[in-house]
Amino acid sequence: MTLVNVRDVLVIGGYGAVGSVVCERLAEAIPGRVVPAGRNLDAAEALARPIGSPRAVRVDLADPATLVAALDGVGLVVLAVEPGDDRVARACLARGVSLVDVSASREQLEATEALDEVARDAGAAAVLSVGVAPGLTNLLARRAHDLVGGAQEIDVAVVLGGGEAHGADAIRWTVDGLVGPQPDGGARQVLLPGLGRRTVHPFDFSDQHTLRRTLDVPHVTTRFALDSRLLTASVFGARRAGGLRAFRGGRGRRALASVFAAVHVGGDRFALAATARHGDREVQVSLVASGQGRVTGLVAAEVALSVLAGHVAPGVRHVEQVDGLADLPERLVAAGGEAAVEVFVDGGAQPSGAESGCLSPSSSTRPAAWSASAP
């Protein structure tokens, strides 16, 4: 891959579970150009040394001056923390610095969308919805949408491993989704490769809101479960019964977050599926992988490399709006993501014969499947 942007890449949250994977992967592709950053300069410097980075910087998002100073000489920022608003995006894009945002917050993503004109005027590119959900779910939904010939309805299913240790931002986001208003739609069952038939419950992931706009699909619902059936039944049973309302205050949310941080039930395997429907035609696209944090970091790194290669035009886009990222699930296999991608058309499973593994709407009109796995 030829890189057209040879300035430094600043990874905010670079020593975290996701950011450290981003730094390590990018350091292989652009040695000496990756700058880990965060509030803890010692932690950032400790990561910089083994990846061969000549520097690390302190960035405290509560202190805008530290961010502005850190952008000197930087061509791209990978945001691996959740500031909760568009302050980082605005600071970057107004200066012509491109952005890859791993955030999952709907409010933050929609605020950054509004900076499209700012980005275009400054010649900067921003890619949003980068990660697992949102991120890979968006890409699977787009593929299912294309294969079905334009979806009238899309259902997204997310089953995450409860045994993996997640970062503080991810835990806070999950708690907010559990104690907040219950989304519309009931539970559904979905058949997932390797996990069997699972019951998934409506959850306020940002992808369902984004996909309604980017794919022009009126009905998109994302549902969620943990790999532990017992834990899933307990948590969502408590939500239906109103048992989580007591945790809606700040103290209650912090208490519930500490429970999720301490209790790890299940494994680190996760599965995603997007099912698109048009009339009596249905397509399901599924992905199974291990290590949500690692895969999130690999997704962000691959998107960053596409931006650095000049494959993303100036402006603000979600990952599914970038044509050159449609094969990103397959890239994860080559990058060591240990991902398996399977495509089901009309409920059937059959090799498509597509050598690259990338299916277009014209690839097959009969039941088809494609799978790949890392060695």
Side-chain angles (χ1 to χ4, degrees):
M1 180 181 290
T2 302
L3 304 182
V4 298
N5 186 338
V6 295
R7 292 190 291 169
D8 287 347
V9 177
L10 182 74
V11 183
I12 302 177
Y15 47 80
V18 171
S20 59
V21 176
V22 176
C23 289
E24 291 163 5
R25 172 71 182 101
L26 290 180
E28 296 173 359
I30 47 172
R33 291 293 186 180
V34 180
V35 183
R39 286 181 298 179
N40 187 331
L41 180 58
D42 290 341
E45 289 176 336
L47 179 68
R49 288 189 290 272
I51 66 171
S53 178
R55 69 187 182 103
V57 297
R58 180 178 178 273
V59 173
D60 184 347
L61 297 183
D63 181 359
T66 63
L67 174 60
V68 172
L71 293 177
D72 186 33
V74 168
L76 170 67
V77 166
V78 178
L79 182 59
V81 295
E82 288 252 8
D85 55 34
D86 66 351
R87 78 187 89 163
V88 175
R90 188 175 293 277
C92 294
L93 299 178
R95 290 168 174 77
V97 176
S98 293
L99 175 72
V100 171
D101 191 347
V102 185
S103 304
S105 165
R106 175 188 176 187
E107 292 76 13
Q108 180 178 323
L109 295 176
E110 290 181 353
T112 303
E113 274 187 55
L115 299 176
D116 180 64
E117 186 174 349
V118 173
R120 291 176 187 271
D121 289 346
V127 183
L128 313 181
S129 298
V130 175
V132 168
L136 291 176
T137 52
N138 298 56
L139 292 170
L140 298 182
R142 175 182 167 176
R143 191 176 295 189
H145 170 76
D146 291 346
L147 284 167
V148 84
Q152 297 167 320
E153 177 184 16
I154 295 177
D155 282 318
V156 178
V158 179
V159 178
L160 300 182
E164 183 174 354
H166 298 287
D169 284 341
I171 293 172
R172 280 195 299 269
W173 179 88
T174 303
V175 167
D176 288 345
L178 286 172
V179 303
Q182 186 166 329
D184 294 334
R188 282 197 175 186
Q189 287 198 333
V190 60
L191 184 61
L192 294 164
L195 293 182
R197 192 168 296 279
R198 304 302 303 267
T199 300
V200 287
H201 303 264
F203 204 85
D204 198 22
F205 284 89
S206 66
D207 52 9
Q208 60 199 312
H209 305 285
T210 299
L211 291 166
R212 291 168 194 161
R213 299 190 302 276
T214 61
L215 299 183
D216 193 24
V217 178
H219 304 291
V220 184
T221 303
T222 302
R223 293 176 173 85
F224 173 55
L226 294 164
D227 59 344
S228 167
R229 296 176 189 269
L230 177 60
L231 187 56
T232 299
S234 300
V235 168
F236 286 97
R239 185 176 77 169
R240 283 194 306 273
L244 298 181
R245 292 174 186 165
F247 296 94
R248 286 184 175 174
R251 182 177 298 177
R253 290 176 192 240
R254 288 191 294 273
L256 195 56
S258 30
V259 171
F260 274 98
V263 176
H264 305 294
V265 178
D268 69 346
R269 198 177 190 200
F270 66 90
L272 314 171
T275 304
R277 300 180 186 87
H278 184 109
D280 60 356
R281 188 162 168 76
E282 179 176 298
V283 176
Q284 177 175 303
V285 186
S286 305
L287 179 147
V288 180
S290 298
Q292 181 191 348
R294 173 169 172 74
V295 172
T296 299
L298 289 172
V299 169
E302 291 301 312
V303 173
L305 289 172
S306 290
V307 174
L308 292 172
H311 295 163
V312 184
V316 179
R317 294 169 179 81
H318 290 270
V319 67
E320 72 276 11
Q321 295 177 291
V322 182
D323 290 338
L325 295 174
D327 66 341
L328 198 152
E330 287 76 25
R331 294 191 207 175
L332 294 183
V333 177
E338 299 177 357
V341 180
E342 297 184 87
V343 176
F344 294 84
V345 178
D346 295 339
Q350 180 179 329
S352 68
E355 291 182 0
S356 69
C358 299
L359 296 177
S360 67
S362 60
S363 295
S364 175
T365 56
R366 64 178 187 268
W370 180 87
S371 63
S373 57

